[in-house]
Amino acid sequence: MPIAAVRPKPRILSMEEAASVGVTYVTAWLCVMEVAQAQAGKTLLVIGATGGVGSAATQIAKWKGLRVLGTVRRDSDRNSVQQSGVDVVINSETKVSSKKYYLDCCIKYSLHT
């Protein structure tokens, strides 16, 4: 986590409350920036883009200039993940859902960025 991102704890929050505020963003940061070593212009697949960590990962990735593919389980979630910045939404509950399907989507959209 960059030192510039560290802020004092608000007085109105307990230590427990303050400790839980950034958990999703710290997890997403570690995944996107440390593990995936995301770079502008690359494509990132976010499985579970509707969840807390998925949403945070999407925001971090877009901030860093990545194209984001995001999975959802329901078509009703499509609009919310698109509003959070997902470029391509993949419904993981479709009949064609499989590892090959994800790989095909990743290759298809990675090659077109």
Side-chain angles (χ1 to χ4, degrees):
M1 187 63 60
I3 192 71
V6 177
R7 297 286 182 261
K9 178 186 81 63
R11 291 181 180 168
I12 63 170
L13 296 180
S14 70
M15 289 302 284
E16 292 80 10
E17 290 168 330
S20 68
V21 168
V23 171
T24 55
Y25 284 88
V26 171
T27 302
W29 181 272
L30 291 173
C31 292
V32 174
M33 301 307 298
E34 302 295 323
V35 176
Q37 298 179 351
Q39 298 174 1
K42 300 291 184 177
T43 301
L44 179 72
L45 172 63
V46 177
I47 297 175
T50 55
V53 174
S55 178
T58 297
Q59 292 174 35
I60 292 167
K62 295 307 291 182
W63 173 63
K64 295 303 268 184
L66 281 80
R67 180 177 172 98
V68 178
L69 311 179
T71 67
V72 297
R73 290 186 182 172
R74 294 179 298 274
D75 280 330
S76 60
D77 292 331
R78 182 175 296 275
N79 287 338
S80 67
V81 296
Q82 285 176 321
Q83 289 176 357
S84 71
V86 170
D87 297 298
V88 177
V89 180
I90 302 166
N91 185 333
S92 63
E93 295 295 311
T94 61
K95 290 182 181 179
V96 295
S97 181
S98 67
K99 287 181 185 177
K100 183 181 181 318
Y101 176 69
Y102 284 123
L103 182 60
D104 289 346
C105 286
C106 291
I107 291 171
K108 176 182 175 184
Y109 293 108
S110 292
L111 295 177
H112 294 15
T113 56

